Amino acid sequence: MTIDTAYMLEKLPAFWKGAAVTFQVAGAAILLSTAAGLLNAAILFFRIPVLRQAVRVYVEAARNTPLLIQLFFLYFALPSVGIRLSGYVTAVAAMTFLGGGYLTEVIRSGVEAVSKGQMESGLALGLSRRQLLRHVVLPQAMRITIPALFSNYIFLLKETTVASAVAVPEILYTTTNFIALEYRTYEMLLMMTVLYLLIFLPLSFLLDWVERRLRHGQFGH
Amino acid sequence: MGSSDIDLLLQSLPQLGRGALYTAGIALSSIAFSAAGGLVYGALRTSRLPLLRFALRTYLELFRAVPILVWLFFFFFGLPIFFGLNIPSFQCAVLVLSLWGITEMGEVVRGALQSLPKGQREAGRAIGLSERQLLMYVLLPAAVRRMLPPGINVCTRLIKTTSLTVLIGVTEAIKAGQQIIERTGESLLIYSALFLFYFVLCYPLSALSRRLELRWNPQG
């Protein structure tokens, strides 16, 4: 079996485009899930009635069902009630639904990890719960949360592959599409795997490094 | 939900049930392989042989770094071409999910073993246990409480990942659902049922894992 490098070079631009789509979809989903996670964690922190229960139900639903079902639900089931979304919008929406659930948990547990004594002394100083969150809890919680946030961002970046199922032209879809069209399975699989390794191996090592750095930088546990 | 919807669901049950059995078959066999393989893999990861540690670490990084759906496609399309091996999609799904699950379970096992106080190892060696006896009778039993909650979480992730096997052509729950939708057009009903199906499988496990965690290491 010989590798047709000329063929692979010819397909390189398409793969760059696929990588760009992967990062765009994941980037949008990461931003929106972080916003959702912060909002939900605030609802839990301020113990807002009704909304608090709704957040709990949402978190369990998001974390205990596969992304593919969430994706298919939005893409194939919603049109029957008159809501039609494009592949891109579906992918970002479904990944935000999933990621928001995970990030709510991550940020909530970061907030809870800030020691009780600090909350109590803040309240004793006469800070409101809002001031406490902004000036005492959040700055510390964010620091504790960074490794978990980062690993969830990598997780979301990897989940982008599932969006290929609704024809979003990211890396995996680009690959399978070419395989279906031109039957050059060997070359396409090789390119896909190398590209994913190039993207994710450095991220994986970076995550290890961040975790080690912040673990040593922590205090008071 | 109207009565016609309930009728449709009841009529679809046998077909959905057959699909669900495939899902369960993939989930249970890959959980079993992952648990057994993960114990061995995790224990070996604590070994002192540098070459072995390097090989196992490479396997871990490869399976962690590349998305699981990519591995599914890689094995499904690649094995016939690279090795002339034609594996049916069901077996391919179990293989890939197990290879992935072993690394995830293995990390859980390794983490638990390494979190044990050093004294246990030393005491075991001092009374003349072999490394194997030390592992079997002292370390693993002591580590079970730390392995179980995150190990159960790996199981829920494996169950959720079975959904992806529809994309390499396994006729599991989603595929069965899609076939019913093709016949009846009831996409909202069927996808809601599938959503619920996975939730009912995974939620009790997540709840159990959280409870065990709270009971066994309340300070986290």
Side-chain angles (χ1 to χ4, degrees):
Chain A
M1 189 184 320
T2 51
I3 306 176
D4 188 346
T5 42
Y7 177 73
M8 287 168 78
L9 278 178
E10 186 194 312
K11 294 298 176 212
L12 204 52
F15 273 84
W16 285 141
K17 237 174 146 183
V21 171
T22 294
F23 279 105
Q24 278 161 13
V25 170
I30 283 169
L31 280 178
L32 290 171
S33 334
T34 309
L38 281 168
L39 184 71
N40 290 339
I43 287 171
L44 294 174
F45 181 79
F46 293 118
R47 307 202 184 115
I48 301 170
V50 187
L51 283 183
R52 187 170 71 158
Q53 279 82 4
V55 167
R56 293 242 170 82
V57 172
Y58 158 66
V59 168
E60 295 303 336
R63 286 162 51 97
N64 287 303
T65 49
L67 176 61
L68 189 66
I69 302 277
Q70 300 166 0
L71 207 59
F72 279 173
F73 188 90
L74 293 179
Y75 199 65
F76 296 119
L78 285 190
S80 70
V81 290
I83 304 170
R84 225 167 268 283
L85 305 172
S86 73
Y88 274 102
V89 174
T90 306
V92 173
M95 284 174 60
T96 302
F97 181 81
L98 176 83
Y102 277 91
L103 291 179
T104 300
E105 277 296 285
V106 166
I107 297 169
R108 179 194 60 82
S109 66
V111 166
E112 280 175 10
V114 175
S115 71
K116 260 217 164 102
Q118 300 210 16
M119 297 272 296
E120 280 157 8
S121 36
L123 288 171
L125 278 172
L127 294 178
S128 70
R129 254 184 112 74
R130 235 189 68 196
Q131 289 171 319
L132 201 59
L133 183 67
R134 237 187 89 192
H135 301 296
V136 180
V137 178
L138 260 193
Q140 298 182 71
M142 285 325 272
R143 190 182 162 82
I144 300 172
T145 309
I146 284 173
L149 271 184
F150 197 71
S151 82
N152 275 281
Y153 291 161
I154 296 180
F155 163 72
L156 279 176
L157 195 56
K158 283 199 273 183
E159 290 288 285
T160 315
T161 49
V162 181
S164 64
V166 293
V168 174
E170 43 67 77
I171 299 169
L172 183 63
Y173 183 82
T174 306
T175 310
T176 49
N177 198 33
F178 279 132
I179 291 177
L181 287 174
E182 297 167 0
Y183 304 107
R184 306 293 283 271
T185 313
Y186 180 73
E187 281 85 359
M188 292 298 95
L189 285 181
L190 208 60
M191 279 184 86
M192 171 185 78
T193 314
V194 169
L195 188 52
Y196 274 116
L197 285 175
L198 279 179
I199 294 172
F200 287 110
L201 272 184
L203 284 176
S204 164
F205 289 124
L206 190 64
L207 175 63
D208 269 359
W209 183 78
V210 168
E211 274 176 346
R212 256 177 292 129
R213 269 308 283 264
L214 287 180
R215 196 164 341 125
H216 292 311
Q218 249 175 51
F219 51 88
H221 267 283
Chain B
M1 201 187 319
S3 65
S4 64
D5 287 347
I6 296 174
D7 282 348
L8 173 73
L9 258 189
L10 285 178
Q11 281 162 24
S12 311
L13 269 185
Q15 196 174 356
L16 276 177
R18 266 196 303 277
L21 276 183
Y22 272 89
T23 296
I26 295 174
L28 286 177
S29 25
S30 52
I31 286 172
F33 286 130
S34 302
L39 274 176
V40 177
Y41 175 83
L44 288 178
R45 283 263 289 152
T46 64
S47 138
R48 282 181 232 157
L49 299 172
L51 203 66
L52 180 66
R53 285 225 318 250
F54 176 77
L56 295 177
R57 180 75 201 263
T58 308
Y59 165 43
L60 171 76
E61 290 296 343
L62 282 179
F63 262 86
R64 266 224 173 137
V66 175
I68 183 81
L69 184 55
V70 172
W71 281 127
L72 268 178
F73 278 125
F74 193 90
F75 274 72
F76 188 65
F77 292 117
L79 286 187
I81 294 187
F82 297 128
F83 302 104
L85 271 176
N86 267 306
I87 308 188
S89 53
F90 181 88
Q91 281 87 330
C92 185
V94 173
L95 174 68
V96 174
L97 259 62
S98 302
L99 284 173
W100 174 68
I102 285 169
T103 65
E104 293 293 326
M105 287 288 192
E107 282 303 282
V108 168
V109 172
R110 182 186 64 93
L113 285 176
Q114 287 178 341
S115 75
L116 293 177
K118 252 199 161 136
Q120 302 224 5
R121 240 170 233 274
E122 284 159 4
R125 288 201 187 105
I127 60 170
L129 296 180
S130 71
E131 287 297 304
R132 212 180 60 95
Q133 287 172 320
L134 184 65
L135 197 65
M136 296 286 287
Y137 300 119
V138 182
L139 299 178
L140 280 180
V144 164
R145 288 185 166 204
R146 295 174 196 208
M147 280 169 0
L148 223 44
I152 294 171
N153 283 334
V154 175
C155 294
T156 62
R157 284 167 66 200
L158 278 167
I159 293 173
K160 286 194 288 175
T161 308
T162 58
S163 65
L164 297 183
T165 63
V166 67
L167 301 175
I168 59 166
V170 181
T171 317
E172 40 65 88
I174 302 177
K175 188 76 204 169
Q178 288 171 340
Q179 287 164 349
I180 296 165
I181 293 169
E182 269 167 37
R183 212 173 54 233
T184 62
E186 290 286 349
S187 56
L188 190 64
L189 182 71
I190 296 297
Y191 279 114
S192 304
L194 286 170
F195 193 89
L196 210 61
F197 166 71
Y198 272 101
F199 185 78
V200 166
L201 287 181
C202 295
Y203 177 69
L205 286 175
S206 325
L208 174 68
S209 156
R210 204 165 2 183
R211 270 186 97 148
L212 291 180
E213 185 134 22
L214 278 177
R215 183 177 312 163
W216 286 340
N217 7 285
Q219 69 280 11

